[in-house]
């Protein structure tokens, strides 16, 4: 085991999902923030476990040619961005590599390369900001949380935001400090202002300001409005009431203090209405490219019915409407569904229908009512598809499934599940919607029995032939890869089988209990047990 505070020398070989460097020392994976693959470093261990550790770079002995000076002065402290220490070439390389590795390891593919739609501009692209506010010595300030904490790191000028957005933040803070508006304190659950939320239409330039408050009333609203009205594009001011403890930024109640309570923007040639709660991709240019790729892959014809699950305000649904016979969107947030219906009307689209509900349950309901879409688009949140959605897809058997994903690991898991139901992965494209940050979007096309010129690739290992694997949703290899990726631990088939048995799951014949009573098997240590349980939860097995 590595020793805390001791300094070791190692080469950075890889990255974690969060963009930290990974080096191996004495067989142990060490996670290093701000490290770049290929660099030889001296590192100090900060936390040591049996098979993994985290540390800090003490000295870079061999610098990567991709290392660069951080353009953002608070990048090292602020938890908002991950990659200001490297050039954009390395950032896009590692993102494409991550998508490929996930699809190969967790999705059972054998891709040699995944193309990535790189962004033309890494700065000023984010059309939404959520600044937490804090106060020290009687002065209130706004910024972003330090990574892994709720300490606010003050940020004067955030480089991935347009300048107008920071101007709004400054105007609000000026008002807060002048009128001594109290600032929320998590520890005491007292104080009024929690977050400044700003959304700006990339094309329209319209600005929505939403102040998240631990209460229903703001003092001196006129003075605030006087400041905001001086900012070009300012359209509406909304108060979001959030009196709950916890991490959710927005509350459930919204009070419009000025303007219509929403803004408009243009995307894929259509006009969209956007409320504070509605999901809208933060990078307009790259979202448009992602959607164009999704539309192309969907291969829609005029007679097709398209089902768009997790449709938000109907961006993809409506962008596909003109090519299709009929489009149906499903979304769980009522306000977003209202926006989606309004968006259909304002664009004169009359072949679109929207349902509010859980994607899986709604899809099963549609299937029971005889709806058989030709193409299904899914764009779920990070946790990916739930069991109902997979089941509904399987029963509806669309010709094509276009899967837009913000988490390559859950995407790969779902690809594996859909392959078990007769689908084949036809293409995968990564898209960088979050330059300088570790998130990456992916769009994949899966199809069923349509592309006969291509050979269907069947790959399996003897281990995967154990049918209990399929009944239990994830293979031993998938669990191992997940555990390695998320906790840096290596776990054996034996350990997985022990935990599966503990959870009352079927275990294949190779992993049965030892025959002799006195035979000794190593027992899964608790740290690995927790990691395996996490993986099994993730794969919906427990
Ligand atoms: N396709 C849209 C939205 C994608 S974000 C776009 O690109 O703009 C994912 C959306 O799924 C969000 O709008 C979220 O509110 C919604 N969502 C989350 N869980 C859901 C569920 N269980 N059922 C249906 N929609 C869900």
């Amino acid at each position: 085991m590595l020793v805390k505070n001791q300094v070791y020398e190692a080469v950075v070989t890889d990255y974690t999902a969060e963009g930290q460097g990974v080096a191996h020392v004495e067989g142990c994976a060490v996670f290093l923030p701000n490290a770049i693959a290929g660099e030889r470093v001296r590192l100090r261990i900060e936390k040591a476990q049996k098979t993994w550790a985290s540390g800090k770079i003490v000295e870079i002995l061999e610098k990567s040619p991709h290392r660069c000076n951080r353009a953002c002065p608070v990048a090292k402290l602020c938890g908002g961005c991950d990659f200001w220490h490297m050039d954009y070439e390395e950032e896009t390389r590692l993102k494409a590599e991550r998508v490929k590795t996930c699809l190969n390891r967790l999705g059972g593919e054998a891709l040699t390369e995944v193309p990535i739609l790189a962004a033309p501009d890494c700065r000023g692209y984010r059309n939404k900001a959520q600044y937490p506010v804090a106060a020290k010595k009687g002065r209130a300030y706004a910024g972003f949380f330090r990574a892994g904490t709720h300490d606010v790191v003050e940020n004067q000028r955030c480089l991935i935001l347009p300048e107008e957005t920071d101007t709004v933040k400054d105007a609000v803070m000026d008002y807060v400090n002048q009128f001594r508006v109290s600032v929320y304190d998590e520890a005491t659950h007292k104080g009024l202002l929690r977050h400044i939320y700003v959304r700006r239409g990339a094309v329209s330039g319209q600005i929505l300001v939403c102040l998240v408050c631990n209460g229903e009333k703001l003092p001196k609203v006129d003075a605030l409005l006087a400041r905001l009205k001086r900012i070009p594009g300012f359209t509406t001011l909304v108060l979001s009431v959030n009196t709950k403890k916890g991490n959710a930024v927005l509350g459930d109640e919204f009070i419009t203090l000025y303007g219509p309570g929403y803004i408009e923007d243009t995307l894929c040639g259509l006009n969209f209405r956007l409320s504070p709660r509605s999901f809208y991709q933060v990078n307009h240019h790259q979202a448009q490219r992602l959607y164009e790729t999704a539309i192309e892959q969907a291969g829609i014809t005029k007679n097709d019915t398209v089902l768009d699950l997790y449709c938000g305000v109907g961006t993809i649904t409506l962008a596909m409407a003109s090519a299709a016979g009929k489009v149906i969107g499903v979304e769980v947030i009522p306000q977003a569904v209202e926006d989606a219906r309004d968006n259909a009307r304002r664009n004169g689209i009359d072949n679109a229908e929207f349902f509010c509900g859980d994607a899986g349950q709604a899809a099963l309901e549609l299937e029971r009512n005889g709806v058989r879409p030709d193409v299904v688009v899914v764009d779920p949140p990070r946790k990916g598809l739930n069991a109902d959605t997979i089941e509904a897809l399987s029963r509806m058997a669309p010709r094509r499934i276009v899967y837009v994903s913000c988490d390559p690991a859950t995407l790969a898991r779902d690809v594996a599940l859909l392959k078990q139901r007769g689908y084949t992965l036809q293409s995968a494209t990564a898209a960088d919607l979050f330059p300088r940050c570790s998130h990456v979007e992916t769009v994949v096309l899966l199809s069923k029995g349509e592309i006969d010129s291509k050979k269907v690739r069947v790959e399996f290992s003897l281990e995967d032939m154990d049918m209990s694997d399929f009944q239990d949703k994830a293979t031993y290899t998938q669990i191992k890869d997940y555990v390695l990726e998320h906790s840096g631990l290596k776990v054996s088939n034996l350990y997985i089988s022990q935990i599966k048995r503990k959870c009352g799951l079927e275990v294949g014949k190779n992993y049965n209990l030892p025959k002799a009573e006195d035979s000794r098997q190593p027992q899964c240590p608790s740290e690995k047990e927790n990691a395996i349980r996490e993986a099994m939860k993730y794969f919906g097995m427990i």
Side-chain angles (χ1 to χ4, degrees):
M1 194 156 129
L2 301 181
V3 181
K4 192 176 167 182
N5 288 329
Q6 192 149 313
V7 174
Y8 298 86
E9 198 179 305
V11 175
V12 182
T13 51
D14 206 351
Y15 297 96
T16 65
E18 291 75 32
Q20 295 193 355
V22 183
H24 285 88
V25 182
E26 296 168 12
C28 177
V30 184
F31 305 127
L32 288 173
N34 301 312
I36 303 180
E39 290 186 328
R40 176 178 291 282
V41 298
R42 288 176 68 233
L43 59 95
R44 176 172 286 112
I45 298 296
E46 294 192 320
K47 186 173 175 189
Q49 301 283 344
K50 235 179 180 174
T51 52
W52 67 272
S54 57
K56 257 196 177 149
I57 296 180
V58 178
E59 188 186 352
I60 302 173
L61 302 170
E62 279 167 39
K63 214 185 225 185
S64 163
H66 298 290
R67 184 167 282 280
C68 49
N69 291 330
R70 292 177 179 81
C72 172
V74 294
K76 252 185 144 170
L77 293 177
C78 175
C81 296
D82 307 286
F83 293 137
W84 283 107
H85 60 290
M86 64 174 69
D87 62 23
Y88 191 52
E89 185 188 339
E90 177 67 357
E91 181 183 330
T92 46
R93 185 197 68 78
L94 81 85
K95 286 177 174 174
E97 189 67 21
R98 173 161 153 67
V99 173
K100 186 185 87 180
T101 307
C102 284
L103 285 169
N104 287 349
R105 282 205 200 146
L106 301 170
E109 290 296 317
L111 306 171
T112 49
E113 200 192 350
V114 170
I116 182 159
L117 304 172
D121 200 346
C122 293
R123 298 192 182 203
Y125 66 83
R126 266 194 85 95
N127 57 33
K128 186 180 99 176
Q130 294 178 150
Y131 306 91
V133 291
K136 224 180 240 161
K137 292 184 186 154
R139 180 186 158 263
Y141 57 94
F144 299 103
F145 288 135
R146 187 192 298 267
T149 74
H150 274 194
D151 304 339
V152 178
V153 176
E154 186 168 7
N155 193 335
Q156 303 286 351
R157 174 75 195 101
C158 172
L159 297 183
I160 60 172
L161 292 173
E163 271 184 51
E164 292 85 343
T165 307
D166 274 338
T167 311
V168 169
K169 178 244 321 167
D170 293 340
V172 174
M173 292 319 292
D174 185 54
Y175 147 82
V176 167
N177 278 311
Q178 179 166 353
F179 296 100
R180 305 238 160 253
V181 178
S182 65
V183 161
Y184 181 68
D185 176 7
E186 271 185 1
T188 59
H189 193 53
K190 291 215 168 83
L192 186 63
L193 184 62
R194 298 176 71 139
H195 273 85
I196 305 168
Y197 169 117
V198 187
R199 176 172 258 168
R200 180 176 179 273
V203 178
S204 70
Q206 292 182 6
I207 294 174
L208 176 151
V209 182
C210 175
L211 298 188
V212 184
C213 294
N214 179 29
E216 291 175 4
K217 276 214 162 80
L218 268 175
K220 308 268 185 218
V221 175
D222 287 348
L224 171 62
L225 279 172
R227 283 166 171 76
L228 292 175
K229 282 180 186 170
R230 284 199 282 270
I231 300 168
F234 169 70
T235 306
T236 188
L237 174 65
V238 179
L239 188 153
S240 167
V241 185
N242 183 1
T243 53
K244 289 191 189 141
K245 290 182 181 169
N247 292 340
V249 174
L250 294 176
D252 295 327
E253 193 189 338
F254 294 87
I255 303 167
T256 301
L257 300 177
Y258 175 81
Y262 58 83
I263 54 164
E264 296 176 28
D265 200 25
T266 307
L267 185 78
C268 296
L270 300 171
N271 180 267
F272 288 96
R273 174 180 111 166
L274 308 162
S275 311
R277 278 294 306 261
S278 309
F279 178 89
Y280 189 59
Q281 284 288 7
V282 297
N283 186 329
H284 183 271
H285 178 84
Q286 289 296 93
Q288 207 154 268
R289 291 177 76 197
L290 177 74
Y291 296 158
E292 281 162 7
T293 309
I295 293 167
E296 193 187 308
Q297 294 189 343
I300 305 164
T301 65
K302 261 292 175 202
N303 294 325
D304 285 344
T305 297
V306 178
L307 175 62
D308 181 15
L309 298 176
Y310 310 88
C311 71
V313 297
T315 40
I316 301 179
T317 337
L318 298 174
M320 288 183 169
S322 63
K326 185 181 170 119
V327 289
I328 304 167
V330 175
E331 161 64 42
V332 79
I333 293 185
Q335 210 183 3
V337 176
E338 254 175 58
D339 282 352
R341 290 183 182 137
D342 185 79
N343 289 332
R345 271 193 299 275
R346 63 175 56 224
N347 290 289
I349 294 171
D350 55 12
N351 62 340
E353 228 182 315
F354 291 94
F355 294 98
C356 187
D358 169 69
Q361 284 171 15
L364 284 173
E365 180 75 23
L366 289 168
E367 191 269 339
R368 276 194 292 274
N369 287 320
V371 176
R372 294 288 178 276
D374 305 280
V375 176
V376 176
V377 179
V378 293
D379 185 2
R382 295 181 68 76
K383 62 178 185 249
L385 304 180
N386 57 26
D388 281 349
T389 310
I390 299 272
E391 181 57 30
L393 288 174
S394 172
R395 288 197 210 160
M396 286 173 160
R399 187 176 76 230
R400 291 183 178 200
I401 299 173
V402 177
Y403 192 140
V404 180
S405 156
C406 52
D407 185 338
T410 49
L411 166 71
R413 173 203 64 191
D414 293 342
V415 163
L417 293 172
L418 290 166
K419 287 202 297 191
Q420 288 170 20
R421 288 157 175 84
Y423 284 89
T424 314
L425 185 90
Q426 299 299 337
S427 77
T429 310
D432 189 20
L433 272 68
F434 309 99
R436 312 279 82 180
C437 307
S438 61
H439 294 296
V440 59
E441 293 276 320
T442 311
V443 53
V444 305
L445 170 65
L446 293 139
S447 73
K448 192 163 206 166
E450 169 196 22
I451 295 160
D452 53 10
S453 59
K454 273 197 183 174
K455 263 196 230 150
V456 177
R457 191 177 46 233
V458 182
E459 281 176 11
F460 56 86
S461 67
L462 281 178
E463 187 176 273
D464 293 344
M465 287 291 280
D466 176 353
M467 284 312 287
S468 64
D469 275 353
F470 289 97
Q471 284 148 17
D472 293 344
K473 300 216 172 88
T475 64
Y476 282 75
T477 314
Q478 284 176 313
I479 295 172
K480 281 184 199 171
D481 287 341
Y482 181 93
V483 170
L484 187 64
E485 161 125 357
H486 286 79
S487 59
L489 297 172
K490 284 195 173 149
V491 292
S492 63
N493 289 349
L494 176 71
Y495 285 170
I496 297 173
S497 70
Q498 285 173 353
I499 308 309
K500 277 175 97 172
R501 197 176 290 114
K502 265 196 184 177
C503 296
L505 296 174
E506 273 283 305
V507 180
K509 59 182 181 314
N510 298 338
Y511 311 115
N512 278 337
L513 291 163
K515 300 248 166 10
E517 282 287 298
D518 62 352
S519 64
R520 291 226 177 117
Q521 283 187 337
Q523 290 301 306
C524 183
S526 64
E527 184 191 11
K528 291 193 177 182
E529 174 169 347
N530 289 340
I532 293 169
R533 281 178 184 271
E534 270 305 305
M536 297 199 325
K537 260 190 224 156
Y538 175 81
F539 288 114
M541 297 163 69
I542 54 173

